[in-house]
Amino acid sequence: SRRLEPEDARRYRSPCLIAEVCPGPGGLELTKKEGMEEVPYMTQPHQAGISAADFENLQASMRGQALNSAAPDYNAARTVFNGMIDRHPAVIARCAGVSDVMRALECGVSRLLPISIRCGGHSVPGFSVCEGGIMLDLTPMSSVYVDPAGKAARAEGGVNWGQFDLETQAFGLATTGGLVRSTGIAGLTL
């Protein structure tokens, strides 16, 4: 692999360096590196899914929850702001921390599954939920750390603008950002 340069701004490598995430006609596309075959776009139906054993292994390796379609809160967890988006991920990984994100990514990439990331679920085109792959739900990761002396804040990937504003305003701080409180700061920032 090579170091990313500024001209590579629209091309990112996964943490395990075996795949690339690039814009595609239907959304983000996960492609194996070094000329190997493509994985379907996250918006196209994907038949392979994940085996029961692989699901149980993922679930056991996470602090957060791993949900499949049999889970009682699966439908609520896959619902996004745009009610016209009706995609069904094979697994929803409700990540409690960075290690959960790493485990879910490893599971999806190693099985060549589409991967989507939900920060606030406010994506109008529905990029936060994939069909037949692994959806990383970062909403449980919602901590905001404010440094009033440095006039800075650090937020986890699942924080929305309402949560961020609540924490920073407690210290008399404000920032420019989204206008809708339910918009995820990570998704809007990207």
Side-chain angles (χ1 to χ4, degrees):
S1 83
R2 65 182 178 86
R3 181 183 169 161
L4 295 178
E5 301 298 331
E7 62 270 10
D8 295 318
R10 296 183 59 87
R11 184 175 172 182
Y12 303 91
R13 293 200 184 272
S14 73
C16 50
L17 297 178
I18 62 172
E20 294 176 340
V21 178
C22 306
L28 295 180
E29 165 187 334
L30 186 65
T31 307
K32 287 190 77 174
K33 75 173 196 173
E34 307 305 327
M36 297 181 130
E37 74 277 4
E38 279 188 12
V39 175
Y41 297 111
M42 70 181 198
T43 56
Q44 295 175 345
H46 187 79
Q47 301 300 322
I50 186 170
S51 72
D54 288 341
F55 174 76
E56 289 172 12
N57 288 337
L58 175 61
Q59 193 172 37
S61 72
M62 293 179 57
R63 284 190 306 126
Q65 297 177 298
L67 308 175
N68 61 18
S69 60
D73 47 351
Y74 172 84
N75 281 326
R78 72 177 183 84
T79 302
V80 292
F81 176 78
N82 181 351
M84 294 183 355
I85 303 300
D86 187 27
R87 298 191 190 119
H88 299 82
V91 175
I92 300 172
R94 302 200 71 193
C95 302
V98 174
S99 65
D100 286 354
V101 172
M102 292 170 65
R103 300 287 187 291
L105 279 173
E106 180 182 286
C107 180
V109 169
S110 68
R111 287 157 188 79
L112 302 177
L113 293 173
I115 295 174
S116 62
I117 302 172
R118 175 189 175 134
C119 302
H122 204 271
S123 169
V124 173
F127 293 145
S128 6
V129 60
C130 62
E131 182 67 39
I134 296 187
M135 177 177 131
L136 281 71
D137 182 358
L138 303 185
T139 56
M141 298 173 60
S142 59
S143 295
V144 178
Y145 307 94
V146 180
D147 173 9
K151 295 185 179 180
R154 189 177 75 211
E156 290 183 311
V159 173
N160 65 37
W161 281 110
Q163 295 164 322
F164 187 82
D165 286 344
L166 182 68
E167 297 298 326
T168 56
Q169 288 171 3
F171 296 95
L173 299 174
T175 188
T176 57
L179 300 176
V180 179
R181 294 178 56 83
S182 62
T183 302
I185 65 168
L188 186 63
T189 302
L190 294 174

